[in-house]
Amino acid sequence: MRKGLELFLPAILLLPASCRKAPSSADGKVTIRYLANPDVGGATKVLIKKFEEKNPGIHVEMVEGPSAPNTREDMYATSFMAQEDSYDFAHMDVAWLAKFAAQGWLKPLDGYFAAQEQEKFLPGDIAGSKFNGKIYRVPNQSDGGLLYYRKDLLKARGLTPPRTWDELVAAAKKIQSPPNLWGYVFEGKQYECLVCNFLELAWGNGGELIDEKGQVLIDRPEAVQALQWMVDAVHKHKISPPGVLTYQEEEARHVFQEGQAVFMRNWPYAWELMQKEGSPVKGKVGIVPMVHGKGRSAAALGGWGFGISAFSKHPDEAWKFIEFLTTHEGQKTAYLMSGILPTRKSVYADPEILKASPQIKDLYNILSLTRPRPLSPAYARVSDIVQLKVSAALSGLGEPQKLLSEAAQEIRGVLKR
């Protein structure tokens, strides 16, 4: 969930094009190449083997890059800036798409990825794959923010899972006993996920950061009320620990998984970790959409997908492989072997998937509510501004209205430039 190029890149990334060998054909086969995260679970290697057996004229070379997404983003950007064909297609975080597409580094997929086929995917993942009216990405891994809760603690008090801000606060106050058991933990550190936390609450109150017309609305009452709710959770209601301002995903998960919180905002990855043997909360956790204010629940879209390089000499072969990976069977294999959440709607109704993961029904309902962050090439700078102002409010360094008014003015300046 990182946004811009780093100031310094590893030296190998800065080598000129002539120093790096482009993919070559072997035994008359067309070789297509891409950079990916480490293949945890081995699903991708299995799928590559199956694809090559069905398509003997194509060889797929998956370069397993660093686990840090920002480093892989830099590696792609370096290659694309040099207009190389080192990578025929890219496996992209949703946050990279606008920058890559705006630079002309990606090939529009409208001629490959028909509208009727797009309808078979989760709507948020498709929305996050478009830029300026064209589609540039086929989503293969969904992700979105959600609310975890302790089923046992709520049941003992005769409570149901909260749907609104007020219901969460009331339940948290009724159950919590700080400092051993807090009401609500979230990702409060100044980084990209703090923006996701804020946006889910703002969207859930009918607010926006930037609307479809490019208007900056972060200083409107709906967004200000969302930030005030976050501040009040820490300082007024005291349902969140002061240390939440240092929490990223894992810090929040550890507190919740150790049985020290009633509610937690996090991503779906945490579910499997909490169900492992030895987990203090195994079998005690439920999931629901994020609580909302005057609007409806929303989840910040995460996730990954494939786009074809504008510089590839083999775009048709690259498309053939992307199409194969994102079929029902391809995504089913990826989920069962590697835990990669599907983007195809049909996979969530697959009997084998439902048997292996009964919670997938709840996840489908939540992931159907995902929304992408603003799809702007300037998003990195916009996010930095939002992070700073939201963090300042949580730290008690200013009132939400004043801070978001400042944010709006700065963001308008960035977009104007």
Side-chain angles (χ1 to χ4, degrees):
M1 286 194 298
R2 160 340 183 123
K3 310 163 306 282
L5 287 173
E6 300 291 345
L7 182 60
F8 299 104
L9 299 177
I12 186 65
L13 303 185
L14 300 177
L15 289 174
S18 59
C19 295
R20 274 174 279 158
K21 187 176 180 181
S24 60
S25 297
D27 300 327
K29 296 181 180 181
V30 170
T31 296
I32 53 175
R33 189 170 185 256
Y34 77 108
L35 176 70
N37 54 303
D39 186 20
V40 178
T44 305
K45 291 185 179 71
V46 168
L47 289 168
I48 287 174
K49 184 178 179 181
K50 288 183 178 179
F51 174 79
E52 291 182 338
E53 288 172 351
K54 292 184 176 182
N55 300 272
I58 305 175
H59 171 64
V60 180
E61 184 180 345
M62 178 183 68
V63 179
E64 288 197 52
S67 58
N70 58 307
T71 306
R72 298 199 306 277
E73 181 187 1
D74 292 340
M75 292 171 73
Y76 272 125
T78 301
S79 174
F80 292 156
M81 282 189 291
Q83 298 191 5
E84 295 180 356
D85 63 348
S86 297
Y87 304 117
D88 293 277
F89 56 104
H91 191 222
M92 302 180 292
D93 185 299
V94 65
W96 307 352
L97 184 131
K99 181 176 71 177
F100 283 17
Q103 293 290 337
W105 295 343
L106 300 176
K107 183 180 180 66
L109 301 181
D110 301 82
Y112 294 103
F113 196 16
Q116 59 265 34
E117 187 63 23
Q118 295 174 32
E119 291 175 1
K120 299 176 183 178
F121 290 74
L122 293 167
D125 287 284
I126 292 297
S129 301
K130 293 181 176 180
F131 179 72
N132 282 351
K134 295 182 178 180
I135 191 154
Y136 288 91
R137 190 184 77 136
V138 182
N140 80 304
Q141 179 176 352
S142 193
D143 205 7
L146 63 148
L147 185 71
Y148 290 84
Y149 68 95
R150 285 286 301 277
K151 294 190 296 185
D152 56 328
L153 297 180
L154 267 66
K155 184 177 181 181
R157 297 297 187 98
L159 300 174
T160 56
R163 296 167 299 171
T164 67
W165 298 352
D166 291 344
E167 289 175 359
L168 187 149
V169 171
K173 284 184 172 181
K174 191 170 185 179
I175 298 173
Q176 71 172 6
S177 56
N180 297 319
L181 179 66
W182 288 94
Y184 175 57
V185 292
F186 60 97
E187 298 85 4
K189 186 174 180 178
Q190 185 179 321
Y191 77 123
E192 178 62 21
C193 197
L194 179 61
V195 179
C196 295
N197 278 251
F198 166 68
L199 284 178
E200 287 168 353
L201 294 167
W203 289 335
N205 198 41
E208 294 284 353
L209 171 51
I210 302 170
D211 70 9
E212 294 179 354
K213 297 179 181 178
Q215 295 185 91
V216 179
L217 304 177
I218 192 174
D219 54 346
R220 297 287 179 88
E222 295 83 2
V224 174
Q225 290 162 9
L227 180 53
Q228 186 67 60
W229 188 85
M230 295 176 74
V231 172
D232 289 347
V234 179
H235 298 288
K236 179 182 177 181
H237 303 305
K238 300 186 186 302
I239 59 173
S240 299
V244 79
L245 274 67
T246 67
Y247 288 8
Q248 297 187 51
E249 287 94 337
E250 280 297 272
E251 287 81 7
R253 180 183 69 82
H254 281 297
V255 170
F256 186 83
Q257 189 164 337
E258 290 303 313
Q260 297 171 3
V262 182
F263 300 106
M264 174 183 68
R265 185 274 175 205
N266 214 313
W267 305 92
Y269 86 95
W271 173 269
E272 295 295 338
L273 297 173
M274 288 187 285
Q275 305 310 316
K276 289 179 179 278
E277 288 298 326
S279 169
V281 296
K282 181 182 179 183
K284 301 177 181 179
V285 177
I287 54 175
V288 289
M290 190 59 189
V291 288
H292 59 85
K294 294 178 292 187
R296 60 191 294 266
S297 293
L301 176 68
W304 295 77
F306 295 99
I308 297 177
S309 167
F311 313 109
S312 172
K313 295 177 180 176
H314 306 292
D316 291 344
E317 288 82 0
W319 169 255
K320 201 166 188 178
F321 179 61
I322 291 170
E323 190 176 34
F324 176 82
L325 281 183
T326 55
T327 59
H328 179 106
E329 287 303 316
Q331 292 201 6
K332 178 178 176 179
T333 298
Y335 178 74
L336 292 175
M337 290 188 65
S338 299
I340 295 173
L341 282 174
T343 54
R344 274 189 180 269
K345 299 173 185 176
S346 62
V347 185
Y348 288 87
D350 187 287
E352 192 174 349
I353 297 287
L354 288 168
K355 183 177 180 181
S357 305
Q359 83 284 357
I360 203 80
K361 293 182 293 184
D362 295 326
L363 273 175
Y364 175 78
N365 293 332
I366 293 165
L367 294 173
S368 296
L369 302 172
T370 56
R371 292 183 54 179
R373 285 156 276 170
L375 296 170
S376 166
Y379 178 73
R381 297 174 67 188
V382 170
S383 176
D384 286 342
I385 293 168
V386 177
Q387 290 175 39
L388 182 65
K389 301 303 181 181
V390 172
S391 181
L394 290 175
S395 301
L397 300 178
E399 293 298 318
Q401 178 66 72
K402 180 177 183 294
L403 289 166
L404 292 186
S405 293
E406 293 171 355
Q409 184 176 357
E410 294 175 26
I411 292 169
R412 290 181 186 116
V414 166
L415 297 181
K416 185 176 181 180
R417 291 192 295 273

